[in-house]
């Protein structure tokens, strides 16, 4: 692969959340690195943050997000907060901590959950704009037409009855997520975003069958081979 030196400075990549559907984002991340596409800033959420380990030897600035349980704050960590592999993996673990399924992780006296509950609903676009970017390379874990059904998650609401911040987050998350998807469509129309959708997603967020994940990965690598020229032009 040669020396890893940043060569894309004006576009920010976003790796979306998605549980085991990250087999898609991993394939895209590996393809970009193999093709010598080295972003100077990389933004990752939840399962998408597992791609951060691919950039450990890379000079890129990494940002990982999480949701603080007791206040509802969005937390963001960069490579400056990650001076060891153990520190990085703790942040990846925090950003990937699903409510109900996993207990919150304590980090620096904060109890945190999945970054998908934080600002941007798993897509980090607001933070990227604050960092001065207006061009986006977004690696989704859903097809273009996907929108979440806007209904209340009663299980989450009951489970977090003693945590007002966590009760509020699931109540608005689906609507906010869908609004973010619409905003991404607008960015595409304006020529400000290149979006890699999951065209052949056969994995679910809890798939454990390695053969399914391998097949998903191979299909996504083929998608990357097909579309790499247009990505590079963007």
């Amino acid at each position: 692969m040669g020396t890893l030196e940043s060569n894309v400075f004006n576009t920010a990549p976003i790796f979306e959340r998605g549980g085991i559907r990250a087999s898609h984002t991993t394939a895209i991340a590996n393809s970009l690195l193999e093709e010598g596409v080295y972003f100077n800033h990389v933004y990752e959420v939840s399962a998408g943050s597992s791609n951060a380990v691919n950039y450990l030897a890379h000079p890129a600035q990494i940002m990982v997000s999480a949701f603080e349980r007791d206040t509802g704050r969005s937390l963001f960590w960069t490579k400056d907060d990650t001076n060891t592999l153990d520190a990085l993996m703790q942040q990846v673990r925090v950003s990937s901590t699903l409510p109900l399924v996993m207990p919150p992780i304590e980090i620096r006296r904060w109890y945190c959950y999945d970054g998908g509950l934080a600002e941007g609903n798993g897509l980090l676009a607001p933070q990227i704009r604050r960092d001065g970017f207006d061009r986006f390379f977004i690696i989704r874990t859903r097809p273009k037409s996907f929108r979440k059904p806007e209904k209340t998650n009663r299980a989450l609401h009951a489970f977090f009855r003693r945590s007002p911040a966590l009760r509020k987050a699931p109540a608005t998350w689906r609507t906010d997520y869908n609004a973010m998807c619409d905003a991404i469509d607008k960015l595409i129309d304006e020529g400000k975003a290149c979006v890699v959708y999951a065209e052949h997603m056969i994995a679910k967020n809890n798939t454990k069958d390695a053969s399914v994940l391998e097949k998903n990965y191979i299909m996504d690598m083929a998608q990357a081979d097909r579309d790499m020229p247009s990505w590079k032009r963007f």
Side-chain angles (χ1 to χ4, degrees):
M1 191 180 296
T3 303
L4 296 177
E5 295 182 358
S6 299
N7 52 25
V8 181
F9 297 91
N10 66 343
T11 301
I14 309 170
F15 291 89
E16 189 183 9
R17 70 193 294 269
I20 302 302
R21 290 192 299 273
S23 57
H24 168 73
T25 58
T26 300
I28 304 305
N30 288 345
S31 295
L32 290 166
L33 289 170
E34 289 172 3
E35 286 290 318
V37 179
Y38 304 144
F39 293 97
N40 196 53
H41 285 72
V42 181
Y43 296 81
E44 303 164 317
V45 180
S46 190
S49 66
S50 61
N51 294 295
V53 296
N54 289 337
Y55 290 88
L56 271 181
H58 191 287
Q61 181 62 270
I62 299 168
M63 179 167 285
V64 176
S65 70
F67 179 88
E68 207 271 301
R69 180 192 66 182
D70 298 323
T71 65
R73 289 186 305 158
S74 297
L75 302 177
F76 303 98
W77 295 295
T78 69
K79 189 179 280 188
D80 294 337
D81 305 306
T82 313
N83 53 7
T84 68
L85 178 59
D86 287 344
L88 171 65
M89 295 314 296
Q90 183 185 35
Q91 290 167 13
V92 170
R93 172 71 172 79
V94 169
S95 185
S96 306
T97 300
L98 290 170
L100 292 181
V101 180
M102 306 157 86
I105 302 296
E106 182 181 5
I107 182 170
R108 301 179 186 179
R109 299 181 181 179
W110 301 317
Y111 286 90
C112 301
Y113 277 109
D114 195 289
L117 291 171
E119 179 189 43
N121 307 100
L123 290 165
L124 276 180
Q127 179 61 40
I128 292 173
R129 286 195 176 95
R130 285 195 293 270
D131 287 345
F133 292 96
D134 63 0
R135 287 174 59 83
F136 307 86
F137 186 83
I138 306 171
I139 302 92
R140 300 289 310 276
T141 55
R142 295 288 195 177
K144 187 176 189 298
S145 61
F146 177 80
R147 298 293 187 274
K148 288 186 175 292
E150 297 186 7
K151 59 182 180 181
T152 301
N153 190 320
R154 297 184 182 278
L156 279 177
H157 192 274
F159 188 80
F160 296 121
R161 61 188 181 278
R162 296 177 183 174
S163 176
L166 271 168
R167 279 206 315 274
K168 181 179 178 181
T172 62
W173 190 81
R174 294 169 184 268
T175 300
D176 292 345
Y177 176 89
N178 292 342
M180 185 61 66
C181 291
D182 293 339
I184 289 173
D185 287 346
K186 184 178 180 181
L187 288 171
I188 295 172
D189 293 339
E190 294 172 348
K192 295 181 179 180
C194 177
V195 183
V196 182
Y197 289 102
E199 294 181 354
H200 311 290
M201 184 60 66
I202 59 174
K204 298 180 180 179
N205 65 351
N206 60 353
T207 297
K208 297 179 181 179
D209 188 331
S211 65
V212 173
L213 299 178
E214 181 180 13
K215 184 177 180 181
N216 212 118
Y217 182 88
I218 291 171
M219 289 190 296
D220 293 328
M221 289 290 284
Q223 179 181 344
D225 288 343
R226 183 197 70 199
D227 294 340
M228 188 65 67
S230 65
W231 299 347
K232 287 183 174 180
R233 285 193 298 271
F234 177 82

